[in-house]
Structure formats: structure tokens, C-alpha cells
Amino acid sequence: MAYTAVTKALKTLNPTVLRVLTSQSRHLSGVAIAGQPEPDSPSSSFTFSSNENVPTSISNKDNNIYIKNPKKTESSVTMPISFMTGSIVGGRFYKKVTTREADDGNGWNVMLDYRTLKTPSKRPLKCPTLALAKAIAAEWEFQQIDGIRPFTMPLMKLTCTALERVPLTRHKIIEYLMKKFHQDLVFCRAPGDSDLTSNVLGRQVEKLDPLLNWVESEFGFKPIVYSSFFGGKQEGGLVDAIENLLKKTDDCELAAIDAIAASAHSLVIALGIFRGRLDIEEAIKLIRLEEDLQVDRWGLVEGGHDVDIADLRVQVSSATVFLGLSRKH
């Protein structure tokens, strides 16, 4: 199963490392993060049910999911900011996780016992495919009796992003991605007139030029490379071609592209995964090309480089798996 890729990445990580890396997320966009509060909101949280008379503990009297509410005055049940930072939230309040077809026949729901999992806007979480619903169900099934660990549910987070945030902020997401496109990681070259950077330039030419050749073949315009810290300016035809592609994506595809681009500092690498030009391992090697050269030369810093690598693997692999599972074949 594709979900195994994310599970394997998570299981190989020390819990302490997981808590650190989830608090050091690389997201550049910040526009399409599920559960992100509005400017006047007091906290960042996920809401999974809605009821005007929600109690502060788990209820068995209806079909909503209730997790103990830290604020008695609130009428909704929320996953607090610990969802993003790696803390354990409450205790597991369900025994069985299943999936079922949505009532309208358009999509699939995840069921915790007899309760329907809900989105931040308090509607049933409706996955576009059964495969994605089963993967999210596997994330909930993975949770332990002593507590729910939201940082082990990246597919749940991405699904909420695609269903709730992307439809409302699609224009802003694309606008931000295109704004950063000119400073894309794959367009930047290290100076070749220095002993400290000449080996970096050689590796960039070897590894990144094939990807740039693919861009030219795919979109009909040759990318411009530069060595300035302030970036360069890509040809208008290429910019328009990339922007038109983004506008044609569905909400799940755009959520995945945005997540990968934020982690990779590269829209080109995200599109390479989207179009099947790159797999997860190839993308990670390109993203870490310069840093890996520094590690080879100066050594790996424990608690620094290893955490960064773990974070990158989780972010890229989960978004790539989500992209594949959400597609209707």
C-alpha cells in the first residue's frame, strides 16, 4: 500500500525527534495549512464536530466525535495547537475504525466506531477515493490507547487542507507559488570561481540540468539559471505555462503541490513529482544536494541535520502519497 511509505518513515523516527521536527515545519506558503486560524483567532486548531450543546467530554448520545474540550465555554470540539507540535492529545476514545460510502454516494467517510469524522468546518470528512479514506483510517487505527498523536496523521492534515482551505484560498496559493517561482532552488547555481563552491556547481550541473531540460521539453521554454542570492527572472512564457497548469489542478492536487513546494523550496521539484518525472527519493536528493555535500565535507550534526532530513522525508513522502491516493483512476 502507498500508505506504507509514510508509516515506514514515521516508524523509523525517534518520538523525540518527531516532536522536534513537527515544530520546525518548512512550510513557506502558510496559505493552505489546514486548521490555520484567521488573524483574530486565539489559537490554531482542528475541529471535528459541531453541536451547539457540545459537552466537555466524550458523548455517546449522537453521531458526532467529541474529544475533551480544554475550554468549557466553546461549543465545538477541537484538536488544539498540539496537533501541529507533536504533543499527545487526550486518550483514544474509540475501538474500531472503518470506512463507508458517503450518504450522497459522492466520496467516502471515515468512521470511528459509529461516529463520522468531521472537518474543521464541521462537515463530514469526505475523501474523493476509497484508497485515501482507508489510508486515513489506518492513521487513526495506528493511535495508541494512552493518547492520540496527531503528528502521525499527515494524510488527515492534507485532506483537511484540500477540502477546507484550498477552495477558499486557491487564488492566493497560486499567486504565492508563482511569486516564489523565480527564486526556485533548481534555478540557483553556486559560483564557480571559488574553491569552496566549485564542487557544488559541478554537482548542480550534473543533477539539476536534466530536470531543467525536462522543464524545457514539458513547457516549451528554457529556464534561466543564476548565481545571485536575490534570484533572477524567468521568461514570461514559462511563467504563464506553469501558472496555467496550476489553475487546472483540482483541490487535492494543488494542496499536494503546495506542500511539496514549501518543503522543497522548489515548485519545479513539486511539479516533477506531480507529472511523474521524479519519485520521492530522487526529489529528496535534489532538495538536499548542497547540504549533503556540506555534510560529506564537515560531518553530520546530530539533532540538526538528522532532524532536518527526517522532517523533509515525512513532508515530501506524505504529500506524494496523498497525491496518488486522492486521484480517481
Side-chain angles (χ1 to χ4, degrees):
M1 292 176 61
Y3 170 72
T4 305
V6 177
T7 303
K8 182 178 179 181
L10 290 170
K11 286 184 176 180
T12 58
L13 306 179
N14 183 285
T16 301
V17 173
L18 266 174
R19 292 188 178 92
V20 174
L21 69 87
T22 51
S23 66
Q24 298 178 347
S25 178
R26 316 163 155 248
H27 290 292
L28 295 179
S29 172
V31 175
I33 303 302
Q36 180 177 329
E38 298 301 324
D40 58 348
S41 177
S43 65
S44 174
S45 63
F46 275 72
T47 304
F48 293 113
S49 68
S50 100
N51 189 302
E52 292 303 320
N53 299 309
V54 170
T56 58
S57 60
I58 300 170
S59 169
N60 294 320
K61 296 182 179 180
D62 56 37
N63 292 327
N64 288 332
I65 298 172
Y66 294 138
I67 300 175
K68 188 174 181 180
N69 194 340
K71 296 182 179 180
K72 295 183 179 181
T73 58
E74 294 181 356
S75 61
S76 64
V77 180
T78 65
M79 286 268 190
I81 198 170
S82 52
F83 194 102
M84 305 294 293
T85 59
S87 299
I88 297 176
V89 181
R92 176 167 172 161
F93 56 92
Y94 55 91
K95 294 182 179 179
K96 186 177 181 180
V97 187
T98 57
T99 58
R100 73 173 185 185
E101 190 172 10
D103 292 338
D104 61 3
N106 184 25
W108 297 83
N109 297 140
V110 177
M111 307 295 296
L112 305 184
D113 293 332
Y114 58 86
R115 306 174 181 92
T116 302
L117 193 59
K118 293 193 173 183
T119 67
S121 67
K122 308 168 188 178
R123 295 177 297 179
L125 183 80
K126 187 185 293 185
C127 300
T129 65
L130 177 58
L132 180 58
K134 286 186 175 295
I136 293 174
E139 289 183 331
W140 283 90
E141 185 63 48
F142 174 79
Q143 303 309 306
Q144 305 301 305
I145 298 298
D146 65 331
I148 296 173
R149 293 163 170 79
F151 58 90
T152 64
M153 293 191 279
L155 297 178
M156 173 70 187
K157 176 185 173 183
L158 283 164
T159 302
C160 289
T161 297
L163 295 177
E164 302 295 333
R165 304 298 297 179
V166 174
L168 299 177
T169 60
R170 166 175 282 272
H171 174 72
K172 291 183 178 180
I173 295 169
I174 295 176
E175 182 180 37
Y176 188 85
L177 287 172
M178 296 312 303
K179 178 181 178 181
K180 292 296 182 181
F181 177 64
H182 297 284
Q183 289 80 44
D184 199 289
L185 171 73
V186 301
F187 299 148
C188 183
R189 291 290 184 271
D193 56 356
S194 170
D195 292 338
L196 293 175
T197 60
S198 59
N199 63 326
V200 176
L201 177 60
R203 186 66 63 87
Q204 288 175 328
V205 171
E206 176 188 356
K207 300 297 183 181
L208 294 179
D209 277 10
L211 184 61
L212 296 184
N213 292 336
W214 170 79
V215 171
E216 182 179 7
S217 174
E218 191 81 357
F219 299 102
F221 297 92
K222 185 177 180 63
I224 299 172
V225 297
Y226 53 83
S227 58
S228 169
F229 285 111
F230 301 101
K233 187 73 173 179
Q234 295 300 317
E235 187 176 343
L238 179 59
V239 173
D240 291 341
I242 298 293
E243 186 172 2
N244 289 334
L245 172 62
L246 294 177
K247 289 179 178 179
K248 294 177 181 178
T249 59
D250 62 35
D251 291 338
C252 288
E253 290 172 338
L254 186 56
I257 291 171
D258 180 64
I260 296 171
S263 298
H265 301 282
S266 171
L267 178 56
V268 173
I269 289 177
L271 293 178
I273 292 176
F274 174 67
R275 285 292 183 91
R277 171 61 177 78
L278 298 172
D279 60 27
I280 294 172
E281 289 301 321
E282 290 171 336
I284 290 174
K285 287 179 181 178
L286 293 182
I287 296 166
R288 288 192 49 81
L289 189 149
E290 292 183 52
E291 193 165 356
D292 282 343
L293 285 174
Q294 296 299 325
V295 170
D296 291 341
R297 182 169 184 175
W298 305 107
L300 183 142
V301 177
E302 293 186 6
H305 292 128
D306 52 349
V307 172
D308 190 54
I309 293 170
D311 181 28
L312 181 62
R313 285 187 176 279
V314 171
Q315 301 298 334
V316 174
S317 62
S318 60
T320 303
V321 169
F322 170 77
L323 178 63
L325 293 176
S326 64
R327 284 172 167 166
K328 297 178 182 179
H329 300 292

